Amino acid sequence: MNPVTPTEVVARELRGKILLVTINNPPVNALGVDVRRGILAAINAAETDLAVQTVLIVGAGRNFIAGADIRELGQPPLPPSLPEVCNRIEACSKPVVVAIHGAALGGGLEIALAAHYRLALAGAKLGLPEVQLGLIPGAGGTQRTPRLIGVKAALDLMLSGRHLGAEEACALGLVDRVGNSNDVLAEGVAYAQELLSKNAAVRRTRDAGALVDRQASLAAIEAARADTIKKSRGLFSPLKIIEAVEATLDQSFDEGLAIERKLFLQCLDSPQRAGLIHAFFAEREVIKAPETRNAKPRAIESVGVVGGGTMGAGIAVAVLDAGLPVTMIERDETALARGRTHVENVYDSLIAKGRMTADAKAAIMLRFTGSTSYDTLAQADLMIEAVFEDIAVKQAVFAELDRVCKPGAVLATNTSYLDIDAIAASISRPADVVGLHFFSPANIMKLLEIVIPAKVSADVVATAFELAKKLRKVPVRAGVCDGFIGNRILAVYRQAADHMMEDGASPYQIDQALRDFGYPMGPFQVSDLAGGDIGWATRKRKAPTRDPNARYVQIADRLCERAWFGQKTGRGYYLYPDGARTGKPDPEVEAIIDIERQRAGITPRSFTDQEIIRRYMAAMINEGANVVHQGIALRPLDVDVTFLYGYGFPRYRGGPMKYADTVGLPNVLADIREFAKKDPLFWQPSPLLVDLVERGANFDSLNQTN
Ligand code: NAI
């Protein structure tokens, strides 16, 4: 039983000597201003009411408190502040107990840490995930957590943003007791009564002393700092967390709080915070496609995957990992055996890393069947085709699916570029055809473009979104065009990178500039990783329709003609001696680039890293604007999410369209017009960008619609 749902945002009720304080701010009891006011008033009331001997705080509904009200961030602050509320709780002269069920995250956990006694139900989730929003815990979390669980564990909690279960939290000392029933109220009241009967005194975290081992604490801080500098690629708030925790070693609690406040405000003001919060909201918005509003998803209890290559196998793993059975279809027994091996390899590598047991793998593989006959798909609910990228091959597969699949089965294609309308039109049930564009490796990459052909029925789209949820993917709705949202924009900014390479920047400088911008790797490293042959095949396919006046850089073709396809062949733009994963610059590639420059009649010039970023981003933003303008993406935020989850765009910059708003659209447009002086065909300002600049508006203004 959960607490009775009261009508007030913070309800008070005297239960014997216990003042029961219930937070009731659906959906997740976020700490909005009314909640803060209510808690403060409750503690003040408890202090003066002689009948009250102890206070018990619980959350109504499914959570204790899931965190601060993120929508208030960046707005003028409304009193009381959360730190003030926490300090008031801690200062209370009567014991304050919290009983936690569901989420106690961020500010929610900080409230709990300020209380005197903490109980958590077995299913509770506790954490300080502020780092994911570019912040640090700002209501005493950085000072109280180390005092309770030590510096090392506190840093781990705050730097990872991970959630702890109740048992682990209890073992660490973050909570005092685990309640094993699921009745938070009964558990909380029993605990409070027990404390009362023992005359338990007020016990303030500010006075707790887990900081005993100074040497170990200093070592933990240094280790965290070194690790953070190495891993967090320019992120601001992790280092501020470390600085705040460091204050617990030499400063008083109150001085520590003041330092935390100062660092919190620095984070709040940082553009990274704005980018990360944009990303947070954008990924919640993308799931709201117009088709899913009124349509009911079809049931998906079994999935057929056609093709067991790179993508088919990865998709099969993603589906198996979601608990569904998979039937894989391949051309012949040899290809099928290879497909099965691809799937098994994924699990074997987990076993080798100690992250899975052989028994667990065996249990999963029981849900996997392979066949060379389409007839085995007769009862499957959803098919995902991942055969060669060739429209004739795909249409032949769809003809087979049309023949064998039951009515109502969803028929999806994983094509990267091909015209899904043409695939749909080739069979008798176009309304059942949808694009499900996964990214490689499909069992790991979070993005799933859901591509909407003209004739698809709304419930098929709703089913695709439901599948994304089951697979724990981030779905983005995309229209049909060459490359959909992501690959279409990629094609354009990759050309901008090639132009810069031919004009004088080395691929190594370009990659470095983009890593410094926050990407995990640059475009030439990505091409070496993916295999240069894939892009080469696409370029050859498109050659007949390419505008003869458009600039075409041939350097990649020269490398491919030598079969330098990247990592898998030991060299591409970089050298990978002896199977190395990280490449080394290759003087021979630089010589080839020089020859190509001469052939094209170009005198190389130097580029600053800043100019590289400006050109690369202007190309990305401009094509992003075209994609929104043509309705391929519903809103700019759909482009942002695509790039955050499929293309390694640094999350703290919010995505390319958010980045454009940060830089200022007039600046982006001015750059494009400047670049157009040399290459007006490539640099054509998007009508949407021009329109927004004329109206003094930004991309974010378009995110509110739909
Ligand atoms: P792949 O060449 O690794 O695998 C294709 C598989 O399909 C092969 O195992 C082949 O035997 C099988 N196959 C071919 N014709 C078949 C048929 N008629 N019936 C059954 N099986 C058949 O190719 P990959 O990379 O897995 O690509 C598959 C699809 O996924 C393509 O449409 C591609 O554009 C798309 N895609 C590829 C991505 C990548 O990074 N590789 C990313 C996203 C989409």
Side-chain angles (χ1 to χ4, degrees), residues 183-208:
D183 186 340
V184 72
L185 190 53
E187 295 273 356
V189 168
Y191 187 38
Q193 239 140 21
E194 182 188 320
L195 290 165
L196 265 178
S197 68
K198 287 193 209 154
N199 263 333
V202 160
R203 191 189 61 167
R204 299 193 170 100
T205 306
R206 58 180 289 148
D207 304 325

PDB file of all heavy atoms in Angstrom, residues 183-208:
ATOM      1  N   ASP A 183       5.218  -1.654   1.395  1.00  0.00           N
ATOM      2  CA  ASP A 183       4.338  -0.660   2.012  1.00  0.00           C
ATOM      3  C   ASP A 183       5.206   0.403   2.687  1.00  0.00           C
ATOM      4  O   ASP A 183       5.621   0.263   3.838  1.00  0.00           O
ATOM      5  CB  ASP A 183       3.442  -1.368   3.030  1.00  0.00           C
ATOM      6  CG  ASP A 183       2.399  -0.438   3.598  1.00  0.00           C
ATOM      7  OD1 ASP A 183       2.588   0.795   3.510  1.00  0.00           O
ATOM      8  OD2 ASP A 183       1.384  -0.930   4.118  1.00  0.00           O
ATOM      9  N   VAL A 184       5.460   1.458   1.939  1.00  0.00           N
ATOM     10  CA  VAL A 184       6.419   2.443   2.431  1.00  0.00           C
ATOM     11  C   VAL A 184       5.924   3.135   3.687  1.00  0.00           C
ATOM     12  O   VAL A 184       6.699   3.448   4.602  1.00  0.00           O
ATOM     13  CB  VAL A 184       6.794   3.457   1.317  1.00  0.00           C
ATOM     14  CG1 VAL A 184       5.659   4.411   1.015  1.00  0.00           C
ATOM     15  CG2 VAL A 184       8.051   4.229   1.687  1.00  0.00           C
ATOM     16  N   LEU A 185       4.628   3.345   3.758  1.00  0.00           N
ATOM     17  CA  LEU A 185       4.081   4.050   4.908  1.00  0.00           C
ATOM     18  C   LEU A 185       4.227   3.205   6.173  1.00  0.00           C
ATOM     19  O   LEU A 185       4.710   3.681   7.210  1.00  0.00           O
ATOM     20  CB  LEU A 185       2.617   4.389   4.631  1.00  0.00           C
ATOM     21  CG  LEU A 185       1.965   5.320   5.632  1.00  0.00           C
ATOM     22  CD1 LEU A 185       2.791   6.583   5.815  1.00  0.00           C
ATOM     23  CD2 LEU A 185       0.559   5.666   5.178  1.00  0.00           C
ATOM     24  N   ALA A 186       3.834   1.928   6.065  1.00  0.00           N
ATOM     25  CA  ALA A 186       3.930   1.046   7.234  1.00  0.00           C
ATOM     26  C   ALA A 186       5.386   0.914   7.673  1.00  0.00           C
ATOM     27  O   ALA A 186       5.703   0.986   8.869  1.00  0.00           O
ATOM     28  CB  ALA A 186       3.343  -0.325   6.901  1.00  0.00           C
ATOM     29  N   GLU A 187       6.281   0.761   6.708  1.00  0.00           N
ATOM     30  CA  GLU A 187       7.705   0.616   7.052  1.00  0.00           C
ATOM     31  C   GLU A 187       8.214   1.886   7.729  1.00  0.00           C
ATOM     32  O   GLU A 187       8.944   1.828   8.716  1.00  0.00           O
ATOM     33  CB  GLU A 187       8.536   0.355   5.782  1.00  0.00           C
ATOM     34  CG  GLU A 187       8.233  -0.959   5.090  1.00  0.00           C
ATOM     35  CD  GLU A 187       9.039  -2.141   5.645  1.00  0.00           C
ATOM     36  OE1 GLU A 187       9.896  -1.908   6.529  1.00  0.00           O
ATOM     37  OE2 GLU A 187       8.784  -3.271   5.206  1.00  0.00           O
ATOM     38  N   GLY A 188       7.824   3.027   7.159  1.00  0.00           N
ATOM     39  CA  GLY A 188       8.301   4.307   7.692  1.00  0.00           C
ATOM     40  C   GLY A 188       7.782   4.550   9.097  1.00  0.00           C
ATOM     41  O   GLY A 188       8.530   4.952  10.000  1.00  0.00           O
ATOM     42  N   VAL A 189       6.476   4.285   9.295  1.00  0.00           N
ATOM     43  CA  VAL A 189       5.879   4.523  10.618  1.00  0.00           C
ATOM     44  C   VAL A 189       6.519   3.590  11.646  1.00  0.00           C
ATOM     45  O   VAL A 189       6.874   4.011  12.756  1.00  0.00           O
ATOM     46  CB  VAL A 189       4.337   4.337  10.555  1.00  0.00           C
ATOM     47  CG1 VAL A 189       3.743   4.292  11.953  1.00  0.00           C
ATOM     48  CG2 VAL A 189       3.701   5.459   9.735  1.00  0.00           C
ATOM     49  N   ALA A 190       6.721   2.331  11.260  1.00  0.00           N
ATOM     50  CA  ALA A 190       7.318   1.378  12.210  1.00  0.00           C
ATOM     51  C   ALA A 190       8.727   1.830  12.603  1.00  0.00           C
ATOM     52  O   ALA A 190       9.116   1.774  13.777  1.00  0.00           O
ATOM     53  CB  ALA A 190       7.362  -0.014  11.585  1.00  0.00           C
ATOM     54  N   TYR A 191       9.472   2.318  11.607  1.00  0.00           N
ATOM     55  CA  TYR A 191      10.845   2.761  11.886  1.00  0.00           C
ATOM     56  C   TYR A 191      10.830   3.986  12.800  1.00  0.00           C
ATOM     57  O   TYR A 191      11.568   4.062  13.795  1.00  0.00           O
ATOM     58  CB  TYR A 191      11.551   3.060  10.560  1.00  0.00           C
ATOM     59  CG  TYR A 191      13.023   3.370  10.671  1.00  0.00           C
ATOM     60  CD1 TYR A 191      13.841   2.707  11.579  1.00  0.00           C
ATOM     61  CD2 TYR A 191      13.603   4.333   9.842  1.00  0.00           C
ATOM     62  CE1 TYR A 191      15.203   2.990  11.657  1.00  0.00           C
ATOM     63  CE2 TYR A 191      14.963   4.622   9.916  1.00  0.00           C
ATOM     64  CZ  TYR A 191      15.759   3.947  10.831  1.00  0.00           C
ATOM     65  OH  TYR A 191      17.098   4.231  10.912  1.00  0.00           O
ATOM     66  N   ALA A 192       9.944   4.933  12.478  1.00  0.00           N
ATOM     67  CA  ALA A 192       9.866   6.144  13.298  1.00  0.00           C
ATOM     68  C   ALA A 192       9.463   5.791  14.727  1.00  0.00           C
ATOM     69  O   ALA A 192      10.012   6.341  15.698  1.00  0.00           O
ATOM     70  CB  ALA A 192       8.876   7.128  12.678  1.00  0.00           C
ATOM     71  N   GLN A 193       8.527   4.836  14.845  1.00  0.00           N
ATOM     72  CA  GLN A 193       8.081   4.450  16.189  1.00  0.00           C
ATOM     73  C   GLN A 193       9.204   3.772  16.977  1.00  0.00           C
ATOM     74  O   GLN A 193       9.398   4.031  18.169  1.00  0.00           O
ATOM     75  CB  GLN A 193       6.891   3.504  16.077  1.00  0.00           C
ATOM     76  CG  GLN A 193       5.684   4.088  16.778  1.00  0.00           C
ATOM     77  CD  GLN A 193       4.413   3.846  15.997  1.00  0.00           C
ATOM     78  OE1 GLN A 193       4.358   2.951  15.162  1.00  0.00           O
ATOM     79  NE2 GLN A 193       3.395   4.635  16.276  1.00  0.00           N
ATOM     80  N   GLU A 194       9.949   2.957  16.276  1.00  0.00           N
ATOM     81  CA  GLU A 194      11.077   2.286  16.922  1.00  0.00           C
ATOM     82  C   GLU A 194      12.091   3.320  17.419  1.00  0.00           C
ATOM     83  O   GLU A 194      12.590   3.234  18.548  1.00  0.00           O
ATOM     84  CB  GLU A 194      11.719   1.350  15.896  1.00  0.00           C
ATOM     85  CG  GLU A 194      12.875   0.550  16.424  1.00  0.00           C
ATOM     86  CD  GLU A 194      13.586  -0.202  15.288  1.00  0.00           C
ATOM     87  OE1 GLU A 194      12.897  -0.735  14.389  1.00  0.00           O
ATOM     88  OE2 GLU A 194      14.835  -0.209  15.303  1.00  0.00           O
ATOM     89  N   LEU A 195      12.358   4.314  16.578  1.00  0.00           N
ATOM     90  CA  LEU A 195      13.308   5.361  16.979  1.00  0.00           C
ATOM     91  C   LEU A 195      12.780   6.122  18.185  1.00  0.00           C
ATOM     92  O   LEU A 195      13.522   6.430  19.123  1.00  0.00           O
ATOM     93  CB  LEU A 195      13.574   6.305  15.803  1.00  0.00           C
ATOM     94  CG  LEU A 195      14.372   5.703  14.645  1.00  0.00           C
ATOM     95  CD1 LEU A 195      14.266   6.568  13.385  1.00  0.00           C
ATOM     96  CD2 LEU A 195      15.848   5.531  15.031  1.00  0.00           C
ATOM     97  N   LEU A 196      11.461   6.390  18.163  1.00  0.00           N
ATOM     98  CA  LEU A 196      10.842   7.096  19.289  1.00  0.00           C
ATOM     99  C   LEU A 196      10.989   6.294  20.575  1.00  0.00           C
ATOM    100  O   LEU A 196      11.363   6.826  21.617  1.00  0.00           O
ATOM    101  CB  LEU A 196       9.347   7.267  19.009  1.00  0.00           C
ATOM    102  CG  LEU A 196       8.881   8.567  18.376  1.00  0.00           C
ATOM    103  CD1 LEU A 196       7.375   8.510  18.146  1.00  0.00           C
ATOM    104  CD2 LEU A 196       9.234   9.743  19.290  1.00  0.00           C
ATOM    105  N   SER A 197      10.709   5.000  20.447  1.00  0.00           N
ATOM    106  CA  SER A 197      10.739   4.175  21.652  1.00  0.00           C
ATOM    107  C   SER A 197      12.157   4.078  22.210  1.00  0.00           C
ATOM    108  O   SER A 197      12.355   3.884  23.401  1.00  0.00           O
ATOM    109  CB  SER A 197      10.166   2.791  21.368  1.00  0.00           C
ATOM    110  OG  SER A 197      11.054   2.123  20.507  1.00  0.00           O
ATOM    111  N   LYS A 198      13.140   4.241  21.335  1.00  0.00           N
ATOM    112  CA  LYS A 198      14.527   4.205  21.823  1.00  0.00           C
ATOM    113  C   LYS A 198      15.019   5.583  22.231  1.00  0.00           C
ATOM    114  O   LYS A 198      16.204   5.757  22.526  1.00  0.00           O
ATOM    115  CB  LYS A 198      15.438   3.726  20.697  1.00  0.00           C
ATOM    116  CG  LYS A 198      15.351   2.283  20.371  1.00  0.00           C
ATOM    117  CD  LYS A 198      16.556   1.984  19.479  1.00  0.00           C
ATOM    118  CE  LYS A 198      16.253   0.853  18.542  1.00  0.00           C
ATOM    119  NZ  LYS A 198      17.064   0.910  17.332  1.00  0.00           N
ATOM    120  N   ASN A 199      14.096   6.565  22.127  1.00  0.00           N
ATOM    121  CA  ASN A 199      14.512   7.944  22.397  1.00  0.00           C
ATOM    122  C   ASN A 199      15.668   8.389  21.510  1.00  0.00           C
ATOM    123  O   ASN A 199      16.589   9.083  21.956  1.00  0.00           O
ATOM    124  CB  ASN A 199      14.934   8.096  23.860  1.00  0.00           C
ATOM    125  CG  ASN A 199      13.788   8.650  24.659  1.00  0.00           C
ATOM    126  OD1 ASN A 199      12.939   9.358  24.100  1.00  0.00           O
ATOM    127  ND2 ASN A 199      13.763   8.298  25.938  1.00  0.00           N
ATOM    128  N   ALA A 200      15.639   7.930  20.281  1.00  0.00           N
ATOM    129  CA  ALA A 200      16.742   8.241  19.378  1.00  0.00           C
ATOM    130  C   ALA A 200      16.880   9.755  19.223  1.00  0.00           C
ATOM    131  O   ALA A 200      15.886  10.464  19.094  1.00  0.00           O
ATOM    132  CB  ALA A 200      16.498   7.606  18.019  1.00  0.00           C
ATOM    133  N   ALA A 201      18.090  10.219  19.247  1.00  0.00           N
ATOM    134  CA  ALA A 201      18.332  11.658  19.196  1.00  0.00           C
ATOM    135  C   ALA A 201      18.444  12.124  17.747  1.00  0.00           C
ATOM    136  O   ALA A 201      18.603  11.327  16.837  1.00  0.00           O
ATOM    137  CB  ALA A 201      19.619  11.990  19.934  1.00  0.00           C
ATOM    138  N   VAL A 202      18.376  13.426  17.592  1.00  0.00           N
ATOM    139  CA  VAL A 202      18.651  14.033  16.289  1.00  0.00           C
ATOM    140  C   VAL A 202      20.084  13.673  15.897  1.00  0.00           C
ATOM    141  O   VAL A 202      20.982  13.668  16.740  1.00  0.00           O
ATOM    142  CB  VAL A 202      18.476  15.561  16.439  1.00  0.00           C
ATOM    143  CG1 VAL A 202      19.189  16.308  15.346  1.00  0.00           C
ATOM    144  CG2 VAL A 202      16.999  15.913  16.500  1.00  0.00           C
ATOM    145  N   ARG A 203      20.281  13.338  14.619  1.00  0.00           N
ATOM    146  CA  ARG A 203      21.611  12.882  14.184  1.00  0.00           C
ATOM    147  C   ARG A 203      21.911  13.561  12.853  1.00  0.00           C
ATOM    148  O   ARG A 203      21.329  13.210  11.837  1.00  0.00           O
ATOM    149  CB  ARG A 203      21.538  11.367  14.021  1.00  0.00           C
ATOM    150  CG  ARG A 203      22.860  10.690  13.842  1.00  0.00           C
ATOM    151  CD  ARG A 203      22.643   9.244  13.465  1.00  0.00           C
ATOM    152  NE  ARG A 203      21.907   9.139  12.222  1.00  0.00           N
ATOM    153  CZ  ARG A 203      21.769   8.023  11.509  1.00  0.00           C
ATOM    154  NH1 ARG A 203      22.288   6.904  11.937  1.00  0.00           N
ATOM    155  NH2 ARG A 203      21.096   8.010  10.392  1.00  0.00           N
ATOM    156  N   ARG A 204      22.754  14.565  12.881  1.00  0.00           N
ATOM    157  CA  ARG A 204      22.914  15.414  11.691  1.00  0.00           C
ATOM    158  C   ARG A 204      24.070  14.927  10.819  1.00  0.00           C
ATOM    159  O   ARG A 204      25.182  14.707  11.307  1.00  0.00           O
ATOM    160  CB  ARG A 204      23.143  16.872  12.092  1.00  0.00           C
ATOM    161  CG  ARG A 204      21.969  17.414  12.879  1.00  0.00           C
ATOM    162  CD  ARG A 204      21.970  18.922  13.041  1.00  0.00           C
ATOM    163  NE  ARG A 204      20.698  19.324  13.600  1.00  0.00           N
ATOM    164  CZ  ARG A 204      20.496  19.601  14.898  1.00  0.00           C
ATOM    165  NH1 ARG A 204      21.491  19.547  15.761  1.00  0.00           N
ATOM    166  NH2 ARG A 204      19.291  19.926  15.312  1.00  0.00           N
ATOM    167  N   THR A 205      23.798  14.840   9.518  1.00  0.00           N
ATOM    168  CA  THR A 205      24.829  14.379   8.593  1.00  0.00           C
ATOM    169  C   THR A 205      26.023  15.335   8.600  1.00  0.00           C
ATOM    170  O   THR A 205      27.157  14.898   8.420  1.00  0.00           O
ATOM    171  CB  THR A 205      24.229  14.281   7.178  1.00  0.00           C
ATOM    172  OG1 THR A 205      23.060  13.464   7.247  1.00  0.00           O
ATOM    173  CG2 THR A 205      25.202  13.662   6.209  1.00  0.00           C
ATOM    174  N   ARG A 206      25.777  16.609   8.796  1.00  0.00           N
ATOM    175  CA  ARG A 206      26.885  17.574   8.793  1.00  0.00           C
ATOM    176  C   ARG A 206      27.929  17.220   9.848  1.00  0.00           C
ATOM    177  O   ARG A 206      29.087  17.585   9.721  1.00  0.00           O
ATOM    178  CB  ARG A 206      26.376  19.005   9.000  1.00  0.00           C
ATOM    179  CG  ARG A 206      25.607  19.210  10.283  1.00  0.00           C
ATOM    180  CD  ARG A 206      25.120  20.647  10.435  1.00  0.00           C
ATOM    181  NE  ARG A 206      26.221  21.555  10.705  1.00  0.00           N
ATOM    182  CZ  ARG A 206      26.279  22.826  10.313  1.00  0.00           C
ATOM    183  NH1 ARG A 206      25.301  23.354   9.616  1.00  0.00           N
ATOM    184  NH2 ARG A 206      27.288  23.576  10.620  1.00  0.00           N
ATOM    185  N   ASP A 207      27.487  16.511  10.896  1.00  0.00           N
ATOM    186  CA  ASP A 207      28.432  16.135  11.956  1.00  0.00           C
ATOM    187  C   ASP A 207      28.970  14.718  11.780  1.00  0.00           C
ATOM    188  O   ASP A 207      29.747  14.243  12.605  1.00  0.00           O
ATOM    189  CB  ASP A 207      27.744  16.232  13.334  1.00  0.00           C
ATOM    190  CG  ASP A 207      27.181  17.624  13.570  1.00  0.00           C
ATOM    191  OD1 ASP A 207      27.825  18.592  13.114  1.00  0.00           O
ATOM    192  OD2 ASP A 207      26.091  17.732  14.178  1.00  0.00           O
ATOM    193  N   ALA A 208      28.525  14.038  10.709  1.00  0.00           N
ATOM    194  CA  ALA A 208      28.966  12.647  10.535  1.00  0.00           C
ATOM    195  C   ALA A 208      30.431  12.626  10.144  1.00  0.00           C
ATOM    196  O   ALA A 208      30.958  13.584   9.601  1.00  0.00           O
ATOM    197  CB  ALA A 208      28.132  11.959   9.461  1.00  0.00           C
TER     198      ALA A 208
END
